[in-house]
Amino acid sequence: EVQLVQSGAEVKKPGESLKISCEGSGYSFTTYWIGWVRQMPGKGLEWMGIIYPGDSDTRYSPSFQGQVTISADRSISTAYLQWSSLKASDTAVYYCVRPRYSGSSNDALDIWGQGTMVSVSS
Amino acid sequence: EIVLTQSPGTLSLSPGERATLSCRASQSVSSSYLAWYQQKPGQAPRLLIYGASSRATGIPDRFSGSGSETDFTLTISRLEPEDSAVYFCQQYGSSPITFGQGTRLEIK
């Protein structure tokens, strides 16, 4: 079964750093892009960026460039989303996603992780 | 970037009726690279439609997509109580990928 399994919920204070993970299984991890989507409480979906684990080519949405870092460790089939200094406005559910087609960075998203809730509050 | 505007914001219908959800793009969506997703409370979104009109694996034929360029529609025929959810459109023809703000469908 193809699946993406994300790390658990996090509760952090403003200014702290954080790295959440997304492990892929059931497919060739290095040949599919992995993206990240933000959903703030009660709001819609926002595209953050995407990485190709095969060569670490990374593309950010302009809204998130410089705000987060996307990375991947292909040896353990895991992608990451990290913050160096969290803000209260980073409170959201974060989903990792896989596009439908191997090698395609712009595609419909047919595999979703279960989501990681990040809460940032003083 | 392409802005997607969905309407209506909320739709309230009865079981057995037909739902028509709209997604309008601020500029033409390349190659009809338009997808629809269903999201139920507490769950991740699920892909319903890709390429404007192709159903994803396991999606019942009550769900259909149509449209091109800047105007797209998701139609759900013969509504069932389990169709109650928020529906999002997404364009992936231009970078960055963008989503509509969602339509909430309530089944009376």
Side-chain angles (χ1 to χ4, degrees):
Chain A
E1 179 192 7
V2 175
Q3 59 179 348
L4 298 173
V5 178
Q6 299 185 227
S7 50
E10 301 276 0
V11 179
K12 292 290 191 179
K13 296 187 184 320
E16 292 185 333
S17 63
L18 176 64
K19 191 174 191 178
I20 61 175
S21 66
C22 168
E23 181 180 2
S25 61
Y27 71 99
S28 175
F29 184 77
T30 56
T31 62
Y32 283 83
W33 292 77
I34 291 279
W36 289 92
V37 174
R38 182 175 78 174
Q39 188 168 39
M40 299 175 76
K43 302 298 185 183
L45 306 171
E46 299 174 272
W47 180 252
M48 300 179 72
I50 195 166
I51 188 166
Y52 190 69
D55 62 7
S56 294
D57 183 9
T58 307
R59 302 170 187 181
Y60 294 93
S61 170
S63 299
F64 290 91
Q65 179 82 48
Q67 306 305 306
V68 296
T69 301
I70 294 171
S71 60
D73 184 342
R74 59 188 183 187
S75 69
I76 55 172
S77 301
T78 299
Y80 301 97
L81 178 65
Q82 69 181 90
W83 297 258
S84 59
S85 181
L86 286 160
K87 303 184 286 287
S89 58
D90 293 318
T91 294
V93 175
Y94 294 87
Y95 293 101
C96 60
V97 294
R98 195 201 77 169
R100 291 186 67 241
Y101 289 118
S102 171
S104 175
S105 61
N106 271 32
D107 202 349
L109 310 166
D110 70 338
I111 305 296
W112 292 67
Q114 82 275 22
T116 295
M117 179 69 214
V118 174
S119 300
V120 184
S121 174
S122 54
Chain B
E1 68 179 46
I2 294 179
V3 176
L4 300 178
T5 302
Q6 293 186 238
S7 62
T10 302
L11 194 54
S12 183
L13 295 168
S14 299
E17 291 190 304
R18 173 193 300 256
T20 302
L21 286 65
S22 173
C23 177
R24 181 160 291 176
S26 60
Q27 54 190 281
S28 184
V29 176
S30 174
S31 304
S32 292
Y33 285 160
L34 193 286
W36 290 92
Y37 299 85
Q38 176 193 67
Q39 186 179 32
K40 297 181 179 181
Q43 297 184 16
R46 174 175 71 146
L47 177 65
L48 299 175
I49 301 286
Y50 63 92
S53 60
S54 298
R55 272 187 299 278
T57 303
I59 302 303
D61 59 7
R62 300 187 297 105
F63 293 85
S64 63
S66 63
S68 63
E69 298 192 355
T70 60
D71 287 288
F72 298 88
T73 300
L74 173 69
T75 301
I76 311 171
S77 60
R78 305 184 305 278
L79 283 168
E80 299 183 0
E82 68 207 44
D83 298 331
S84 180
V86 179
Y87 293 83
F88 296 97
C89 58
Q90 172 221 1
Q91 69 78 25
Y92 51 96
S94 302
S95 294
I97 286 172
T98 51
F99 293 91
Q101 82 279 16
T103 289
R104 181 178 303 277
L105 174 60
E106 300 173 346
I107 310 300
K108 297 176 188 173

mmCIF file with all atom_site columns, all heavy atoms in Angstrom, chain A residues 11-16 86-88 91 119-122:
data_model
loop_
_atom_site.group_PDB
_atom_site.id
_atom_site.type_symbol
_atom_site.label_atom_id
_atom_site.label_alt_id
_atom_site.label_comp_id
_atom_site.label_asym_id
_atom_site.label_entity_id
_atom_site.label_seq_id
_atom_site.pdbx_PDB_ins_code
_atom_site.Cartn_x
_atom_site.Cartn_y
_atom_site.Cartn_z
_atom_site.occupancy
_atom_site.B_iso_or_equiv
_atom_site.pdbx_formal_charge
_atom_site.auth_seq_id
_atom_site.auth_comp_id
_atom_site.auth_asym_id
_atom_site.auth_atom_id
_atom_site.pdbx_PDB_model_num
ATOM 1  N N   . VAL A 1 11  ? 3.583  20.983 20.041 1.00 0.00 ? 11  VAL A N   1
ATOM 2  C CA  . VAL A 1 11  ? 3.208  22.203 20.743 1.00 0.00 ? 11  VAL A CA  1
ATOM 3  C C   . VAL A 1 11  ? 4.502  22.956 21.036 1.00 0.00 ? 11  VAL A C   1
ATOM 4  O O   . VAL A 1 11  ? 5.402  22.425 21.708 1.00 0.00 ? 11  VAL A O   1
ATOM 5  C CB  . VAL A 1 11  ? 2.455  21.911 22.047 1.00 0.00 ? 11  VAL A CB  1
ATOM 6  C CG1 . VAL A 1 11  ? 2.116  23.225 22.758 1.00 0.00 ? 11  VAL A CG1 1
ATOM 7  C CG2 . VAL A 1 11  ? 1.187  21.118 21.757 1.00 0.00 ? 11  VAL A CG2 1
ATOM 8  N N   . LYS A 1 12  ? 4.590  24.173 20.516 1.00 0.00 ? 12  LYS A N   1
ATOM 9  C CA  . LYS A 1 12  ? 5.836  24.938 20.612 1.00 0.00 ? 12  LYS A CA  1
ATOM 10 C C   . LYS A 1 12  ? 5.557  26.367 21.037 1.00 0.00 ? 12  LYS A C   1
ATOM 11 O O   . LYS A 1 12  ? 4.420  26.847 20.982 1.00 0.00 ? 12  LYS A O   1
ATOM 12 C CB  . LYS A 1 12  ? 6.534  24.954 19.242 1.00 0.00 ? 12  LYS A CB  1
ATOM 13 C CG  . LYS A 1 12  ? 7.082  23.612 18.793 1.00 0.00 ? 12  LYS A CG  1
ATOM 14 C CD  . LYS A 1 12  ? 8.256  23.215 19.629 1.00 0.00 ? 12  LYS A CD  1
ATOM 15 C CE  . LYS A 1 12  ? 8.999  22.037 19.063 1.00 0.00 ? 12  LYS A CE  1
ATOM 16 N NZ  . LYS A 1 12  ? 10.172 21.661 19.895 1.00 0.00 ? 12  LYS A NZ  1
ATOM 17 N N   . LYS A 1 13  ? 6.620  27.051 21.442 1.00 0.00 ? 13  LYS A N   1
ATOM 18 C CA  . LYS A 1 13  ? 6.544  28.469 21.789 1.00 0.00 ? 13  LYS A CA  1
ATOM 19 C C   . LYS A 1 13  ? 7.124  29.300 20.654 1.00 0.00 ? 13  LYS A C   1
ATOM 20 O O   . LYS A 1 13  ? 7.993  28.838 19.887 1.00 0.00 ? 13  LYS A O   1
ATOM 21 C CB  . LYS A 1 13  ? 7.314  28.733 23.075 1.00 0.00 ? 13  LYS A CB  1
ATOM 22 C CG  . LYS A 1 13  ? 6.756  28.039 24.305 1.00 0.00 ? 13  LYS A CG  1
ATOM 23 C CD  . LYS A 1 13  ? 7.463  28.472 25.565 1.00 0.00 ? 13  LYS A CD  1
ATOM 24 C CE  . LYS A 1 13  ? 7.022  27.741 26.802 1.00 0.00 ? 13  LYS A CE  1
ATOM 25 N NZ  . LYS A 1 13  ? 5.593  27.497 26.897 1.00 0.00 ? 13  LYS A NZ  1
ATOM 26 N N   . PRO A 1 14  ? 6.662  30.534 20.518 1.00 0.00 ? 14  PRO A N   1
ATOM 27 C CA  . PRO A 1 14  ? 7.222  31.423 19.493 1.00 0.00 ? 14  PRO A CA  1
ATOM 28 C C   . PRO A 1 14  ? 8.737  31.513 19.646 1.00 0.00 ? 14  PRO A C   1
ATOM 29 O O   . PRO A 1 14  ? 9.269  31.573 20.757 1.00 0.00 ? 14  PRO A O   1
ATOM 30 C CB  . PRO A 1 14  ? 6.548  32.758 19.789 1.00 0.00 ? 14  PRO A CB  1
ATOM 31 C CG  . PRO A 1 14  ? 5.263  32.400 20.440 1.00 0.00 ? 14  PRO A CG  1
ATOM 32 C CD  . PRO A 1 14  ? 5.560  31.183 21.266 1.00 0.00 ? 14  PRO A CD  1
ATOM 33 N N   . GLY A 1 15  ? 9.425  31.510 18.501 1.00 0.00 ? 15  GLY A N   1
ATOM 34 C CA  . GLY A 1 15  ? 10.878 31.593 18.503 1.00 0.00 ? 15  GLY A CA  1
ATOM 35 C C   . GLY A 1 15  ? 11.579 30.251 18.500 1.00 0.00 ? 15  GLY A C   1
ATOM 36 O O   . GLY A 1 15  ? 12.780 30.178 18.177 1.00 0.00 ? 15  GLY A O   1
ATOM 37 N N   . GLU A 1 16  ? 10.868 29.187 18.844 1.00 0.00 ? 16  GLU A N   1
ATOM 38 C CA  . GLU A 1 16  ? 11.480 27.858 18.841 1.00 0.00 ? 16  GLU A CA  1
ATOM 39 C C   . GLU A 1 16  ? 11.610 27.334 17.424 1.00 0.00 ? 16  GLU A C   1
ATOM 40 O O   . GLU A 1 16  ? 10.932 27.775 16.500 1.00 0.00 ? 16  GLU A O   1
ATOM 41 C CB  . GLU A 1 16  ? 10.679 26.888 19.718 1.00 0.00 ? 16  GLU A CB  1
ATOM 42 C CG  . GLU A 1 16  ? 10.737 27.221 21.194 1.00 0.00 ? 16  GLU A CG  1
ATOM 43 C CD  . GLU A 1 16  ? 10.041 26.190 22.075 1.00 0.00 ? 16  GLU A CD  1
ATOM 44 O OE1 . GLU A 1 16  ? 9.109  25.523 21.588 1.00 0.00 ? 16  GLU A OE1 1
ATOM 45 O OE2 . GLU A 1 16  ? 10.452 26.066 23.244 1.00 0.00 ? 16  GLU A OE2 1
ATOM 46 N N   . LEU A 1 86  ? 9.654  29.765 15.007 1.00 0.00 ? 86  LEU A N   1
ATOM 47 C CA  . LEU A 1 86  ? 8.206  29.690 14.822 1.00 0.00 ? 86  LEU A CA  1
ATOM 48 C C   . LEU A 1 86  ? 7.505  30.965 15.275 1.00 0.00 ? 86  LEU A C   1
ATOM 49 O O   . LEU A 1 86  ? 7.950  31.672 16.188 1.00 0.00 ? 86  LEU A O   1
ATOM 50 C CB  . LEU A 1 86  ? 7.648  28.503 15.601 1.00 0.00 ? 86  LEU A CB  1
ATOM 51 C CG  . LEU A 1 86  ? 7.938  27.137 14.994 1.00 0.00 ? 86  LEU A CG  1
ATOM 52 C CD1 . LEU A 1 86  ? 7.775  26.050 16.061 1.00 0.00 ? 86  LEU A CD1 1
ATOM 53 C CD2 . LEU A 1 86  ? 7.015  26.857 13.817 1.00 0.00 ? 86  LEU A CD2 1
ATOM 54 N N   . LYS A 1 87  ? 6.363  31.238 14.621 1.00 0.00 ? 87  LYS A N   1
ATOM 55 C CA  . LYS A 1 87  ? 5.477  32.332 15.004 1.00 0.00 ? 87  LYS A CA  1
ATOM 56 C C   . LYS A 1 87  ? 4.114  31.756 15.322 1.00 0.00 ? 87  LYS A C   1
ATOM 57 O O   . LYS A 1 87  ? 3.767  30.660 14.862 1.00 0.00 ? 87  LYS A O   1
ATOM 58 C CB  . LYS A 1 87  ? 5.369  33.345 13.872 1.00 0.00 ? 87  LYS A CB  1
ATOM 59 C CG  . LYS A 1 87  ? 6.692  33.934 13.430 1.00 0.00 ? 87  LYS A CG  1
ATOM 60 C CD  . LYS A 1 87  ? 6.492  34.995 12.372 1.00 0.00 ? 87  LYS A CD  1
ATOM 61 C CE  . LYS A 1 87  ? 6.148  34.417 11.036 1.00 0.00 ? 87  LYS A CE  1
ATOM 62 N NZ  . LYS A 1 87  ? 7.321  33.779 10.393 1.00 0.00 ? 87  LYS A NZ  1
ATOM 63 N N   . ALA A 1 88  ? 3.312  32.505 16.051 1.00 0.00 ? 88  ALA A N   1
ATOM 64 C CA  . ALA A 1 88  ? 1.955  32.047 16.361 1.00 0.00 ? 88  ALA A CA  1
ATOM 65 C C   . ALA A 1 88  ? 1.166  31.781 15.079 1.00 0.00 ? 88  ALA A C   1
ATOM 66 O O   . ALA A 1 88  ? 0.323  30.880 15.029 1.00 0.00 ? 88  ALA A O   1
ATOM 67 C CB  . ALA A 1 88  ? 1.235  33.068 17.229 1.00 0.00 ? 88  ALA A CB  1
ATOM 68 N N   . THR A 1 91  ? 0.648  28.296 13.386 1.00 0.00 ? 91  THR A N   1
ATOM 69 C CA  . THR A 1 91  ? -0.285 27.309 13.898 1.00 0.00 ? 91  THR A CA  1
ATOM 70 C C   . THR A 1 91  ? -1.181 26.818 12.760 1.00 0.00 ? 91  THR A C   1
ATOM 71 O O   . THR A 1 91  ? -1.898 27.600 12.128 1.00 0.00 ? 91  THR A O   1
ATOM 72 C CB  . THR A 1 91  ? -1.144 27.905 15.016 1.00 0.00 ? 91  THR A CB  1
ATOM 73 O OG1 . THR A 1 91  ? -0.291 28.214 16.134 1.00 0.00 ? 91  THR A OG1 1
ATOM 74 C CG2 . THR A 1 91  ? -2.226 26.936 15.456 1.00 0.00 ? 91  THR A CG2 1
ATOM 75 N N   . SER A 1 119 ? 1.030  23.596 16.875 1.00 0.00 ? 119 SER A N   1
ATOM 76 C CA  . SER A 1 119 ? 0.449  24.674 17.678 1.00 0.00 ? 119 SER A CA  1
ATOM 77 C C   . SER A 1 119 ? 1.572  25.509 18.259 1.00 0.00 ? 119 SER A C   1
ATOM 78 O O   . SER A 1 119 ? 2.479  24.964 18.904 1.00 0.00 ? 119 SER A O   1
ATOM 79 C CB  . SER A 1 119 ? -0.416 24.105 18.802 1.00 0.00 ? 119 SER A CB  1
ATOM 80 O OG  . SER A 1 119 ? -1.471 23.334 18.293 1.00 0.00 ? 119 SER A OG  1
ATOM 81 N N   . VAL A 1 120 ? 1.503  26.813 18.014 1.00 0.00 ? 120 VAL A N   1
ATOM 82 C CA  . VAL A 1 120 ? 2.534  27.728 18.504 1.00 0.00 ? 120 VAL A CA  1
ATOM 83 C C   . VAL A 1 120 ? 1.867  28.780 19.379 1.00 0.00 ? 120 VAL A C   1
ATOM 84 O O   . VAL A 1 120 ? 1.039  29.560 18.914 1.00 0.00 ? 120 VAL A O   1
ATOM 85 C CB  . VAL A 1 120 ? 3.291  28.410 17.347 1.00 0.00 ? 120 VAL A CB  1
ATOM 86 C CG1 . VAL A 1 120 ? 4.433  29.273 17.899 1.00 0.00 ? 120 VAL A CG1 1
ATOM 87 C CG2 . VAL A 1 120 ? 3.810  27.384 16.358 1.00 0.00 ? 120 VAL A CG2 1
ATOM 88 N N   . SER A 1 121 ? 2.230  28.781 20.645 1.00 0.00 ? 121 SER A N   1
ATOM 89 C CA  . SER A 1 121 ? 1.620  29.710 21.587 1.00 0.00 ? 121 SER A CA  1
ATOM 90 C C   . SER A 1 121 ? 2.543  29.942 22.772 1.00 0.00 ? 121 SER A C   1
ATOM 91 O O   . SER A 1 121 ? 3.236  29.025 23.219 1.00 0.00 ? 121 SER A O   1
ATOM 92 C CB  . SER A 1 121 ? 0.280  29.160 22.064 1.00 0.00 ? 121 SER A CB  1
ATOM 93 O OG  . SER A 1 121 ? -0.271 29.982 23.081 1.00 0.00 ? 121 SER A OG  1
ATOM 94 N N   . SER A 1 122 ? 2.512  31.169 23.266 1.00 0.00 ? 122 SER A N   1
ATOM 95 C CA  . SER A 1 122 ? 3.325  31.494 24.426 1.00 0.00 ? 122 SER A CA  1
ATOM 96 C C   . SER A 1 122 ? 2.625  31.085 25.722 1.00 0.00 ? 122 SER A C   1
ATOM 97 O O   . SER A 1 122 ? 3.221  31.119 26.794 1.00 0.00 ? 122 SER A O   1
ATOM 98 C CB  . SER A 1 122 ? 3.645  32.980 24.455 1.00 0.00 ? 122 SER A CB  1
ATOM 99 O OG  . SER A 1 122 ? 2.456  33.747 24.390 1.00 0.00 ? 122 SER A OG  1
#
